[in-house]
Amino acid sequence: MKKWLRSLSGKQIKLGLSAGICAILSLLLTGVIALLAGTQAEQRIARRWSSEGGVAQVSCFFSPNADITPDSIESFEHSLDNALKEASIELDSPNPGARLWADAYSADGTVTLSTDKGSVQADALGIGGDFFLFHQLRLLSGSYFSGNDLMQDYVILDRETAWQLFGSVDVAGMLVTISGRPHMVIGVVERPGGKLYEAAGLDGPRVFVSYETLSAYGSSGGINHFEIVMPNPVRQYALNYVREQLGKQEREVEVLENSTRYSIGKRLRLLLDFGTRSMNGKAIIYPYWENVARGYEDILALLTLFQMLFLLYPSGVLLIWIVIRWKHKTWTARTVFATAQDKLQRAGERRREKRKNGQKREKKSWLDDVDPEDTVQFRLEKKKRKKEQRLQRKIEKEFQAEAKKTARASRKEK
C-alpha cells in the first residue's frame, strides 16, 4: 500500500482526495434526504397501517365545483367494499377491530367561538371519518374525536385559541358556543410552527369541528379534501381505483398517491418538470398539509440535484482511471482465462488430495487399536535387546580390564 501511494503524483492524490470528499458529501445528502422524508408522518400512513406493505395512501383535492358530499363519500365506500370482495381481497386478522381500509374527508372554512371571556373567529376544518388517524397533531390535553361519532358537537382547539377563550390549555370538558349552540372542547393541540407551516396556511387560530357543525354554523365551500389508506395488491391499483371513482372531473379534482411521493423516481421527475410544476389550471386550494408536502418535495428535489452533481465528479474520475488502466494493461483476456483456469485446477487438486487423505485416515486396521507392547513379537525383541546390551557391557568391561593390565606392564618395564 505504501509503495503504491509513493508511486502517485501530487495531481493524482489531489484528484483522489477531491473525488473521495464529493462521494462522502453525496452519501451525507442521501442520509439528509431520507431523514427529511421520514419526518413527514402525514405522508407515511401506509407504513403505519401495514408494516408488511401491500397498501397505499391516496389523496384527493376538490374544487368547489366538484360537488362532493358526505353521500358521495359513503357511496364510494360501499363500492370499495364490493370491489375488494370481487378481487378476493379479504381481511385476515384475529383482531376484531381490524379493517381493510380507513378514510377521512374535510372542508376548509371559518367559525366564531364564544365564551364568557370573549370570542374568536378562527380558521376551521370540518372533518369526517378518521381524520386524526392521518393527521396526528400533538395533544396538549384531552383527546381526539372521530367524524363517525354519534355526537357531533365536539371541538378541538389549538393552543392560541384555547388561551384566548379560557386562558389555559387544560380545558378539556369546557364548553364553547358556536352560533348559539354549545360545543364541548374535547382536546387542545399544538399547532405545527415554522416558516414552512406558516406559509402553508397555519398562520392564525385554528379549530377542528365536525363537518356537520361547520356546514350548519360556519362558512364553508364544501368538502375539498379526501384521504384513504387501502389495499394495493398491484402497482397503482389504489390510485387508479380512486381516480376512476372520484376523479372523473379532471379539471375539478386532483388525485395523487402519497406513499411514493418522496421516492427517487418522483424526485427526478420533479426536476424534469421544473418550471411547469407550479402551474395549476384547476380551481383547487390545497390544505396546509399538502402545501407543506409540496414544499418538502421541492427541497428534496433540490438536494437530489446536488447529490447527483456530487456523485458525478467521483464517477468521472473513476471512469478515467479505469480507461487509463485499460490502456496500460499488461494482461489479455487469454492470460486472465488461463490464470483463472490454472487456479481452478489447483483448487480442484487440493480438494481431491484432502478427500484422499481423509479416506486414508478413515481406513484403519484392527491392529491399529492394539497396544504394541502387548504382542509376543515385541516381548521377544525386547528380551533380545536386553541380552545384546548385557553382552556389550561384558565386552566393554573385559576391554577396560585388558587395557589396565597393559598399562601396568608398560610402567614396570620402564
Side-chain angles (χ1 to χ4, degrees):
M1 183 68 178
K2 292 182 180 179
K3 185 178 179 181
W4 177 75
L5 288 174
R6 292 193 192 99
S7 66
L8 297 176
S9 63
K11 185 177 180 180
Q12 290 174 330
I13 293 175
K14 290 179 181 179
L15 282 173
L17 288 175
S18 59
I21 291 172
C22 287
I24 292 172
L25 290 174
S26 179
L27 289 175
L28 289 176
L29 283 176
T30 302
V32 171
I33 289 171
L35 181 64
L36 290 178
T39 59
Q40 297 301 295
E42 292 171 331
Q43 308 299 318
R44 297 166 62 86
I45 308 302
R47 294 192 180 185
R48 297 210 311 263
W49 187 258
S50 175
S51 59
E52 299 177 356
V55 296
Q57 177 188 357
V58 180
S59 295
C60 297
F61 306 101
F62 309 104
S63 75
N65 297 328
D67 194 26
I68 300 297
T69 65
D71 291 338
S72 304
I73 303 298
E74 186 175 357
S75 176
F76 168 82
E77 293 171 346
H78 287 307
S79 65
L80 176 60
D81 284 331
N82 294 331
L84 294 177
K85 187 175 181 180
E86 291 176 1
S88 299
I89 301 174
E90 299 178 353
L91 188 63
D92 183 16
S93 174
N95 185 357
R99 295 177 289 172
L100 276 174
W101 54 268
D103 65 351
Y105 59 89
S106 54
D108 288 317
T110 58
V111 294
T112 300
L113 302 92
S114 303
T115 63
D116 295 338
K117 294 184 178 182
S119 63
V120 174
Q121 185 176 15
D123 292 331
L125 206 63
I127 67 169
D130 296 302
F131 179 83
F132 292 105
L133 170 69
F134 293 85
H135 307 280
Q136 296 182 347
L137 301 172
R138 187 166 74 89
L139 280 167
L140 300 177
S141 65
S143 62
Y144 300 124
F145 71 93
S146 170
N148 298 322
D149 291 341
L150 294 177
M151 297 292 293
Q152 295 294 313
D153 55 353
Y154 293 134
V155 60
I156 291 180
L157 312 177
D158 67 359
R159 179 195 291 270
E160 182 180 345
T161 308
W163 274 100
Q164 290 185 27
L165 293 175
F166 298 100
S168 171
V169 297
D170 190 15
V171 295
M174 299 289 189
L175 295 178
V176 298
T177 302
I178 303 177
S179 295
R181 182 181 178 88
H183 285 70
M184 179 185 294
V185 177
I186 195 171
V188 178
V189 296
E190 183 71 70
R191 187 174 73 226
K195 184 177 180 180
L196 201 60
Y197 281 92
E198 291 176 1
L202 287 180
D203 54 352
R206 180 170 289 268
V207 299
F208 301 87
V209 296
S210 67
Y211 177 73
E212 286 75 8
T213 291
L214 182 63
S215 301
Y217 309 112
S219 62
S220 168
I223 295 174
N224 43 14
H225 326 124
F226 174 76
E227 303 162 274
I228 186 169
V229 56
M230 58 176 285
N232 190 46
V234 296
R235 187 172 177 268
Q236 293 191 340
Y237 171 84
L239 176 64
N240 292 333
Y241 182 81
V242 175
R243 185 173 287 157
E244 290 173 2
Q245 297 295 321
L246 297 175
K248 294 179 180 179
Q249 306 177 58
E250 294 185 2
R251 294 189 61 83
E252 309 298 336
V253 182
E254 183 172 344
V255 184
L256 60 88
E257 183 177 342
N258 307 70
S259 313
T260 58
R261 73 184 308 164
Y262 296 137
S263 64
I264 180 65
K266 292 291 182 67
R267 285 182 273 132
L268 292 176
R269 194 174 301 118
L270 187 59
L271 287 174
L272 295 175
D273 295 338
F274 184 78
T276 60
R277 132 58 175 236
S278 300
M279 299 180 183
N280 185 14
K282 302 178 181 180
I284 294 175
I285 299 177
Y286 295 117
Y288 73 85
W289 61 85
E290 177 61 19
N291 283 328
V292 170
R294 290 170 69 86
Y296 270 93
E297 278 184 334
D298 293 337
I299 293 171
L300 295 180
L302 183 61
L303 292 177
T304 301
L305 177 61
F306 283 108
Q307 179 191 24
M308 294 172 63
L309 291 176
F310 280 130
L311 188 60
L312 184 63
Y313 177 69
S315 300
V317 172
L318 179 62
L319 181 61
I320 292 172
W321 179 80
I322 292 174
V323 171
I324 292 173
R325 296 289 295 178
W326 179 264
K327 288 182 178 180
H328 296 84
K329 70 181 186 300
T330 57
W331 48 268
T332 62
R334 181 176 295 178
T335 58
V336 171
F337 178 76
T339 303
Q341 189 176 20
D342 182 59
K343 288 185 177 181
L344 288 174
Q345 289 178 352
R346 291 184 179 181
E349 291 176 357
R350 285 195 295 269
R351 286 195 297 270
R352 287 192 294 271
E353 188 67 24
K354 287 181 179 179
R355 286 199 296 268
K356 186 177 179 180
N357 293 336
Q359 291 173 358
K360 285 182 177 180
R361 285 194 296 269
E362 291 176 359
K363 292 180 179 179
K364 291 184 178 181
S365 171
W366 65 274
L367 292 175
D368 294 336
D369 297 329
V370 179
D371 189 354
E373 296 184 0
D374 293 337
T375 61
V376 176
Q377 184 178 0
F378 179 80
R379 290 196 294 269
L380 291 175
E381 290 179 354
K382 185 176 181 181
K383 188 181 293 185
K384 183 179 179 181
R385 284 195 300 270
K386 287 182 178 180
K387 186 176 180 181
E388 291 176 351
Q389 290 173 358
R390 286 195 297 269
L391 180 60
Q392 186 175 1
R393 285 196 295 269
K394 183 178 179 182
I395 293 172
E396 288 178 355
K397 288 180 179 180
E398 290 178 353
F399 177 77
Q400 290 175 0
E402 187 67 27
K404 287 180 180 179
K405 288 180 180 180
T406 305
R408 283 196 297 270
S410 62
R411 285 198 297 271
K412 288 180 180 179
E413 289 177 357
K414 291 179 178 181

